[in-house]
Each structure stands twice: as structure tokens, then as C-alpha cells.
Amino acid sequence: MVQASNPPQDRLRKVNEPLQTPNPSVQDGTPLDLIVYERGLLKNKELRGILERLYLQCTEFIGIAREAYNCMDWNDRSSKNARVLRTVIHNFLGALYLPLPGHPMRPYALCCLAECLKAQYLWHGGPEKLKEAILYRKASLPLCREGSSKWSFNLYLLAGDLMTWSSEEGEIEHVEEAVSYCRQALAAYPSSDTTPERIRIMSRLGGSLLELYERKGSVHHLNEAIKWLRMAKLSLPPVEHRERCSILNSLAQCLVSRYEQKNKLEYLNEAIQYFREAILMHDPKDSERDVSINNLAVSLLKRYDQLTEIQDVEEAIQCLREVISMYPIGDTRRLNAQVNLSSCLGSHHAEQGGFEELEEAIKHLREVLLVSSTVGARRTSGLAIGNLGSCLYNRFLRTNMVQDLDDAIQYHREDLSLYPADSPRSLVALNNLSMTLRARYTLKSVTRDVDEAAHLLLKGLPLCPQGHSERPLILTRLANCFQAKYEHTDGLQLLQCAILYYREALSLYSPRQQGRLIALQRLAKCLRAQYGHSGDVQSLEDAAESLHELIRIMPSAHHLQVVCLSSLAWIYAKHGKVLKAHHELPDSSALFEKACNHPTGTLKFRLDAAQEWISTLQDPPSLQAYRHFLKLADQYLLLRPSITSRHQLIRSIPDEIALDAAAIAIETGELKTAVELLEQGRTLIWSQMNRYRTPLDELQTAHPELAAKFTRLSQLLENSATSEIFKDGS
């Protein structure tokens, strides 16, 4: 058994020494009797004996707990070590429940108990454990001499606990309280002090200020965070220091935020360098190493968005998959890695067009939302909500499933509600929500959707002034809103506003930035429409130039290649003669053919390209265009999950498209091909009718007469419909 350094007998001899009276707010015994006992003035021998036994019992509890506490392996989360931890907590609580608030080891017991409860929270979750740890930590502060090393160290630990609680509960007051405690702790040291204790406090103050910036968006908090973290880094000794990894990680996070503010790549490159350095210095079993890997992956993803170098996003995916494989389902470190991996997979999908990556991202995010509600990972859940909305929107673009779009809007609304209006995260959320609302307007023509989207983006512009990395994206999506509204109203002023915003956005994008691809493609479409209004050849020249640049910088597997090739083919086929370099133009049919056969283009884009090919090249008409259209239409209808989407396509198909195709084949002497095309067109309609049928087995069993009547009516309607469709071709 470990004994206390000051047994009761020694304490009784020190009757003339001044005694620090405990703060009444934390006393839980009989303080007046204790003070009398401590000062040797207690004359009642029986009561004195009771207090001596309590004193020894308290010392014994603390001694047993301290011996086990000092032997704890804090990285071992096994059930055996968890039992040891529970025993340590039991013994510390046993000492604290005794009515001796003035015991010299009470502050030590309170701090150790707080650490044990926090460990329980980190190992098994449960916010109540963390809250209890903070209460015990605060109770220890009045028992330490203000300005002492123990007092400042407790403040430092308390600030860390509050930051953890803030990430759990989402309350900004906890972050502000943590900053205040760090400032108090730092004030206990002279500014020239380079001791490890002061370095740790500067590091935590910098991290807390960074969190405050992310919550409030106040740039002065970010600047102060960078100042303290750079000072902490400069104060580090040349040899390895335990705080170096934490300082490098926090400083790198600040530099990422400054990059987002200034849009200067040197800040991001410096951050990536610090993250890599921190990862190399971490012990492979250290949980903080996973935090650095997560942050490195996010930074690589941001650099990919700027430079579109695929190796950045592939390295990020590899790092995050390594982290995920190390932890079981429900572990907070796994949840954080899954959220970041979903972002990387979404970007890789946009670059390479792989649908399975999008499905994997959605699977990870649904797991995060399901598990985080049980383990209390509120912040991780908030990030997952926004990412899931983006992934569902991307899947909608590939599959045209309206339910995905509606779900995406719902998730983005929820994401936006989680943050203050002026926070950086709020900017991301309103940006995403506006994008999905604009898409639904394009689909359903509900004016309030596009008006709300434009309102959100105009509200977001002041949050990203000139130089902010998100400003070009906001401008691009604002232009999208005006363009979408123009396409439904044909208002020339709306089109000109869209062109103006696209041009401003393109002036801010870096040459290979992902958003530049979208802006170029949309600008080309607007310029093409402007030429239709005004006949201005310069608009057509600019559209062709934008498309050429887009094809040049876009990866060959990008799904937008189909749209670019088709648009360029249309310009050359319809208006090639008015262009300056008309004698050097490539064959339009070859461009349309390439668009229809693109290996990673979506079925919808390829089908649209085939339909534009048919409507554009009529002199002479292209039989190959009809073949592509009928083939792609059949595939598209086969893969549509909803009756509504299939019906919309059937309605958009020209009534006599199969007859026109057969007529062209007959004119060229391809009689066999003509019969095949007629049969293909007829099959296209009949196959859909078969898919619309609902089995009547259950109805036949329960109500045979009703089933027979339903069948007769169905046949009459079918005969009427098909005779109308095929009367000209019979």
C-alpha cells in the first residue's frame, strides 16, 4: 500500500503553519471540525480518533488508486484494462466521499479521477462521463494555489476537456471558456519562458482559437491562433519533443483555413508538409496519428480541387482506408475517417466516373449517421449529413432518381441549420443546398426553388470576399440559377447575368481546378444561346473556344466529355461556315459518334447527344444517329427504376422516329436494316407496356370477378393505345 507523504501525526505537529481553507463551494464534509483537527486544537479524543481513522482511510484509498493509476496503459482498451480503470475510479471515489475536503492529496485525487472518467468516455463513449470529469477538474482548481504550476496545469487540462465536450455537444460557450482558461494558464509564465509546460499551453490556446474561428468565422481568432502556434513551434528544443506533433498538426490546420481565406496555394502546401512531418513522428499506435492522417487527407483533397492532380485524391483515399481498417464500427476515429473518405470518393467519382465509388461513399455515410446517434458523435454526424446530401445529389445526376434529389435537399437543409449564419461551415451548407434546389427547379419548374437558391447564394457572397477560395464556386452556382431560370422563361437579361457571373468565376479559378470545368461547359451553353438571340458570331467563337479548352484540360474519362463533344459538333454542323477557322473544322458526325460511344458518359448525356445528332444533321440524315438513339433509349428505359422517369422519356421520343430511321435505310438500299429498326422501335413501346403491368395473382385469389373485369378493361385500353401508335405504320 502506498502511504501519503504527510501522515496525520506529522500534520498535528505543524500547528503553527497557516492552513489554506478549502473553498466552501467544494466542501462536502464538516469543515469546521476538520479545521480544528488540522490545527491540533481538537480536545475531544473520541472525535479526534474518528478523524484520524478517516484520514488514514482516505490516504489508503488514494494510495491504492495511485499505484494502479501509474501502471495504466492508456492505449490499451481491452476489457481487462477497462476493469482496472473501473477499480481505480472506485478507489478515488472512495477517498473523495470521505468528509475530508482539506486532505493534502485531495486535489491529486480529483485530477486523477477526472483523467480516468475522460478515458472511459474516450474508450466507450457516453457524454455524462466527460461532463463528470469536467466537474471534478473544476473542483480541484480552488484547492491549488493560484499561479502555481499545478494550478496552470489543471487549467490546461480543463481547457482540453472543454474542447472535447464542445465537439460532443456543439456549444460554442465551451470553446470560449477553454480559450479563457488557456489565457489564465499562460499568464502564470513570463513571455520568455520556453519550458515544456508553457509550450503545451500555447499549443492548446492556438487549437482553441482555431476552433473558435471555425465556429464564428472571425479572422482575428485565426491570426492569433497562427501566432501562438508559430511561437510554440519556435520554442521547441531541437531534440524530439512530445508536443511537436500536436503543434504541427494544429498549425497545419490553421494554414489550411488561411488558404481558404486567401486562396494562396503556398499555405496549403506548407500545411501538407507539416501534416506529413507529424505523421512520421507519431508512434504507429498513437491515436493522434490517425488525426494527422485524416487532416492530411482533407488537405490533399483541397489541393486536388485546385490542381486536379489525381494522385492527391488517391493518396488521401489510401490513407483513410488504412485508418478505417484499424478501428471497429462505432469508434469515433473510424467515423471521422469515413466522413473524409466519402468526400475523397466523391471527388474521385467526379474525375474518373466510377459509380461504385459513389455507392461506397453513401454506404460509409449511412453507417456514420446510424452509429453516431448512439455514441454521441454530434459533430461527425453534422459533417456526414452534408456529405451524404452531396453524394445523393451526384447519384441523382447519374440515375435521375428524384427521391435522391429530394433526400439531398432535406439533408442540406438540416446541415445548414446546424451552424451560425456567419460561420465558414454555413457557407458550404448553403452552397450545397442552393445547388440541389436549382437542380429540382430544372426538373420540376417550381419557381420558388430557383429563387431560394439564388437568395442563398447572394447571402453567401459577403462571407467569401475577393481572394476567398469558395468565391468562384459561389459565383458559378449563382450563374447556374440565372441560366436555369432563363431556360424556363427565355428572358435575355437572365442569360446575360449568367454569362457575367460565369466569366467572373472563370477569372478566379486556377487553370485546372475542378469547378473551372463546370463553369466552362455552362458558359459555352449560354454563349450558344446568346448567339441564337443576337446572331453575334463572337458569342459562337467564344463558345467553341470554351469547349476546346474544356476538352483539352478535362480527363478523357470525365463524364462531361460527352456534353462537350456533342455541343462542339452542333456548332460545327449548324454554324461552322461563319467561324474564322471553318476550313480547319473536324467532321461533326465523328464528334457525335465519339460522344454516343463514350465509355464513362452517363446514358442520359449519350442519349441527348444522339437526339441532337438526329435533329442537327438532316442534310443528309445519318442512319447511324438513329441506330445510336434507339439502342441508348432501350438501355435507358431498362435501367430507369421509376415509372415516372420512363414515361417522361417515352413522351419525349418523336412519334415517327423508327419510321424515319427505316425510311433512310430504305433510301440507301439497306432493307434488312429498315426491318430491324422498325422492330426495334415497336419493341421499345411494347417492352415498356409489359413493365407497367402489375401481377393480379393476389387479386385473382381474393376477388376473381374483379380481377376478370380489370383484365378486360386493361386489354381494351391497350388495344386502343397501340392501334393509335402504330396506325401510320400498319
Side-chain angles (χ1 to χ4, degrees), residues 481-725:
C481 292
F482 283 104
Q483 182 183 6
K485 198 164 185 180
Y486 157 76
E487 289 170 354
H488 284 74
T489 62
D490 206 33
L492 183 59
Q493 189 176 1
L494 294 169
L495 181 65
Q496 290 169 342
C497 285
I499 292 172
L500 183 68
Y501 281 123
Y502 280 133
R503 290 193 188 281
E504 185 181 351
L506 286 168
S507 70
L508 299 175
Y509 280 121
S510 61
R512 294 185 61 83
Q513 199 165 350
Q514 184 71 20
R516 183 177 182 82
L517 306 182
I518 306 294
L520 278 170
Q521 185 260 324
R522 299 281 174 79
L523 175 62
K525 188 175 181 181
C526 288
L527 290 168
R528 174 176 152 177
Q530 189 177 51
Y531 171 77
H533 276 283
S534 63
D536 180 15
V537 177
Q538 187 58 49
S539 296
L540 204 61
E541 291 275 5
D542 291 346
E545 183 183 343
S546 297
L547 290 167
H548 274 298
E549 180 187 350
L550 190 53
I551 292 172
R552 186 177 67 253
I553 66 176
M554 187 189 298
S556 59
H558 200 288
H559 66 279
L560 283 180
Q561 282 274 358
V562 177
V563 180
C564 298
L565 291 167
S566 176
S567 298
L568 204 54
W570 180 89
I571 291 174
Y572 292 158
K574 283 284 192 182
H575 308 283
K577 292 182 180 179
V578 303
L579 299 177
K580 294 176 183 177
H582 64 272
H583 56 282
E584 301 173 359
L585 299 181
D587 179 44
S588 298
S589 294
L591 292 174
F592 275 126
E593 179 87 34
K594 189 174 180 182
C596 292
N597 288 322
H598 197 276
T600 58
T602 66
L603 270 174
K604 185 67 171 66
F605 286 168
R606 290 161 61 199
L607 183 61
D608 290 344
Q611 193 164 5
E612 189 159 45
W613 188 2
I614 291 171
S615 62
T616 303
L617 295 177
Q618 290 295 332
D619 188 23
S622 172
L623 184 60
Q624 190 65 10
Y626 285 95
R627 282 175 171 160
H628 277 297
F629 180 83
L630 291 170
K631 175 186 172 184
L632 291 168
D634 186 56
Q635 292 177 5
Y636 185 83
L637 289 168
L638 181 65
L639 295 175
R640 291 307 88 193
S642 69
I643 291 176
T644 303
S645 59
R646 294 199 295 265
H647 181 61
Q648 285 174 344
L649 179 62
I650 288 290
R651 290 181 59 191
S652 69
I653 296 175
D655 293 340
E656 300 180 351
I657 192 163
L659 294 177
D660 292 341
I664 296 169
I666 291 170
E667 287 176 5
T668 57
E670 300 181 44
L671 300 181
K672 184 178 178 182
T673 301
V675 174
E676 289 174 352
L677 291 170
L678 281 172
E679 180 64 19
Q680 195 172 357
R682 186 183 69 84
T683 305
L684 198 65
I685 303 298
W686 279 102
S687 62
Q688 290 313 302
M689 287 186 171
N690 287 331
R691 288 170 191 158
Y692 293 152
R693 288 195 175 100
T694 304
L696 300 177
D697 297 347
E698 294 183 8
L699 183 61
Q700 182 71 40
T701 303
H703 305 283
E705 293 181 1
L706 186 59
K709 185 177 180 180
F710 181 87
T711 303
R712 285 196 304 274
L713 289 172
S714 178
Q715 288 172 348
L716 287 171
L717 289 169
E718 185 176 302
N719 292 337
S720 173
T722 53
S723 63
E724 181 67 26
I725 291 171

Side-chain angles (χ1 to χ4, degrees), residues 346-362:
S347 295
H348 199 269
H349 155 76
E351 177 81 16
Q352 302 294 326
F355 193 71
E356 63 281 356
E357 292 165 337
L358 194 56
E359 291 294 325
E360 183 185 352
I362 291 171

Side-chain angles (χ1 to χ4, degrees), residues 106-118:
R106 186 177 179 83
Y108 169 81
L110 286 165
C111 291
C112 290
L113 179 57
E115 284 298 305
C116 292
L117 289 167
K118 185 178 179 182

